[in-house]
Each structure stands twice: as structure tokens, then as C-alpha cells.
Amino acid sequence: MPVVTLIVALIAGLLTATVTEARTLDQIKASGTLIAATEGAYPPFNFYQGAKLTGFEVELAEAMAKKMGLKIEWKALSFDALLAGLGQDRWDMVIASFGVTEDRAKAVSFTNPHYCSGGVIVSKSAAMKDAASLAGKTVAVQTGSTYMANVKKIAGVKEVKNFPQDTDARSALVAGRVDAWVSDRFAVKTMLENNPALGLKAGGYLFVEPIATAVKKDNTALIGALNKALADVMADGTYKTLSEKYLKEDIRCK
Ligand code: ARG
């Protein structure tokens, strides 16, 4: 083959490699490794314990991968960069407490939910417990979260302050720089149990959402395999053990 033809063929190969579809289930299986992205700053779901990435979702994903005969290679990135990486084929799946929303489902596909939860208001006053009580208040939320989207829809809220990490939104409340913080019911429950001295109070659900793993839009074979693995760990007791370890209760959708 003439050198020029060879070079053209190589370049064409490289181009296809970068613009092609997300890895198929067969390709993932052949490599033996599922590339999963998460945030690593959202306890108790995904967080760092020293240098080790851990949490309910990290251990759950590892148990699911094991059922699929795979290992996981983790990538940790800022929350609002995670879904975009699926479209760019930078990783196969994202597990980071993403709520299934119509907007997100336009860009990515979701598996069956691994838990059901919702946003709650946290503040220093027990009076702030529903949407109406946020009128005239400053509210801290994580950038790009469903908490941000939902609080922005509440009429009369004085200001929605965004923070790259949920723990920073929480710190703003603790420091008294905002009146309230909206976050996940179970993340809040765990935080309040671990920090009773903060004297923070949580209200009821502002909204509810199923939480699921996201993959590249229409990567149906991968969705099928992940759904099967999730059903398997839910059936064999693994899910319950992990949920009770991190949340002290079984948080699967009822
Ligand atoms: N459940 C919320 C959402 O879907 C927040 C998720 C935050 N996750 C995280 N890893 N910080 O937007």
C-alpha cells in the first residue's frame, strides 16, 4: 500500500475512533472495564475518604459491574461536567445522584432508578419548611442541580445562590450567608445525624425525583445490562446491605 494511502487510512481510522458511537456493551465487555464518572463530593453517595473514592453509589456501581463481569475505572469530575462527557464518549456511565428529568432525558438516557428521593429545605429555623416560606429568602443550591431548577421556579424567592459543590452550599447556610439550603433528603438526613451541634432543621419534600444512572443517549444494550445488574443486586441482598450501611435504611423506590 502506498505510504499516502496508508496515512489517509490511519487518519480516517483515528477520526472514526473519535467521532464514533459510545462504546457498545460488547466493546466494554471485551475491554473488561466499565468507565464510570461521578463527582466524589456528595456524601454519603459519592465522596472521598482520604484518597479513596467511596459511598453508596460507588459501592453499588462496583457491585453492579461485578455482576456484569467487569471492573470499574472511576473518573471524578465536577457535577455539572458529568453528563456532557457521555455525549463526548469520555466515559460509559455517570452515577452521581442525577434526578431523571425531561430536560436531561433529551441529552442522555437513564437506567431504572437506584433510589427515590427529592429536595428538602434546610435552615436554622423550623418555620422554613415549604415553598411559600422561602418568600423573601436567599437560598443556596448546587450549580446545575434539580434543586437549583426547582428553587428558581418558586415565586418570591429573593435570591438563588449557586455553589459548584453541594457541601459549599451547606457551608454558606452554616456560616449564615444564606437563609436556607436545598438538597437531597437522604444527604441532608445523614448530615444532620452526623452534625447535631449545627442545630439545622429540615422540612418536608419540596419535590420528589427518581435517581438513576445516565449513559449516552440510546445506548440501549448498556442500559439493558445495567438494569439487569441493578435488579440482581436488589434481589440478592447486596443493595439492602449497602443502603443500610450508608443511609441506615433501604432507599430503593417503593
Ligand atoms: N439530585 C440532584 C440532581 O439531580 C442533585 C444531585 C447532586 N449530585 C452530586 N453528585 N452532587 O440534580
Side-chain angles (χ1 to χ4, degrees), residues 131-149:
S133 60
L134 291 180
K137 307 293 186 199
T138 303
V139 186
V141 290
Q142 181 174 29
T143 312
S145 67
T146 49
Y147 316 126
M148 179 174 98

Side-chain angles (χ1 to χ4, degrees), residues 138-143 159-163 169 172 177-178:
T138 303
V139 186
V141 290
Q142 181 174 29
T143 312
E159 195 191 345
V160 184
K161 282 199 177 166
N162 300 332
F163 296 84
R177 281 181 278 127
V178 294

Side-chain angles (χ1 to χ4, degrees), residues 146-196:
T146 49
Y147 316 126
M148 179 174 98
N150 279 276
V151 174
K152 281 194 170 159
K153 281 191 243 155
I154 301 172
V157 169
K158 185 170 159 211
E159 195 191 345
V160 184
K161 282 199 177 166
N162 300 332
F163 296 84
Q165 297 191 354
D166 192 55
T167 46
D168 296 330
R170 175 187 84 196
S171 301
L173 172 65
V174 172
R177 281 181 278 127
V178 294
D179 301 307
W181 161 51
V182 173
S183 185
D184 177 84
R185 174 191 164 186
F186 295 109
V188 165
K189 182 189 99 151
T190 309
M191 199 282 293
L192 296 185
E193 279 168 6
N194 293 339
N195 301 278

Side-chain angles (χ1 to χ4, degrees), residues 7-218:
I7 291 172
V8 169
L10 279 176
I11 292 174
L14 280 178
L15 283 179
T16 350
T18 47
V19 297
T20 175
E21 286 299 289
R23 292 201 307 164
T24 62
L25 184 59
D26 288 341
Q27 288 168 325
I28 294 170
K29 285 204 162 145
S31 77
T33 307
L34 190 59
I35 305 173
T38 190
E39 184 194 21
Y42 198 58
F45 294 104
N46 58 78
F47 61 101
Y48 276 92
Q49 208 156 48
K52 191 179 182 304
L53 183 65
T54 189
F56 175 60
E57 291 180 307
V58 172
E59 285 207 52
L60 183 67
E62 280 171 355
M64 286 164 59
K66 204 170 158 202
K67 293 276 184 203
M68 296 161 75
L70 300 170
K71 290 207 168 356
I72 292 195
E73 178 186 330
W74 285 104
K75 309 267 184 205
L77 290 105
S78 66
F79 178 70
D80 62 355
L82 292 168
L83 294 185
L86 290 171
Q88 301 155 354
D89 294 329
R90 292 170 68 200
W91 36 82
D92 303 312
M93 62 173 264
V94 168
I95 184 163
S97 289
F98 274 94
V100 178
T101 66
E102 249 175 65
D103 255 10
R104 286 173 178 164
K106 284 179 196 150
V108 301
S109 293
F110 286 99
T111 63
N112 291 334
H114 56 281
Y115 72 100
C116 273
S117 190
V120 294
I121 301 170
V122 191
S123 71
K124 294 184 176 177
S125 139
M128 231 178 292
K129 55 184 189 322
D130 54 14
S133 60
L134 291 180
K137 307 293 186 199
T138 303
V139 186
V141 290
Q142 181 174 29
T143 312
S145 67
T146 49
Y147 316 126
M148 179 174 98
N150 279 276
V151 174
K152 281 194 170 159
K153 281 191 243 155
I154 301 172
V157 169
K158 185 170 159 211
E159 195 191 345
V160 184
K161 282 199 177 166
N162 300 332
F163 296 84
Q165 297 191 354
D166 192 55
T167 46
D168 296 330
R170 175 187 84 196
S171 301
L173 172 65
V174 172
R177 281 181 278 127
V178 294
D179 301 307
W181 161 51
V182 173
S183 185
D184 177 84
R185 174 191 164 186
F186 295 109
V188 165
K189 182 189 99 151
T190 309
M191 199 282 293
L192 296 185
E193 279 168 6
N194 293 339
N195 301 278
L198 292 178
L200 297 176
K201 318 250 180 320
Y205 277 132
L206 259 188
F207 65 93
V208 293
E209 58 179 5
I211 305 286
T213 295
V215 302
K216 188 174 184 177
K217 186 96 184 136
D218 300 330

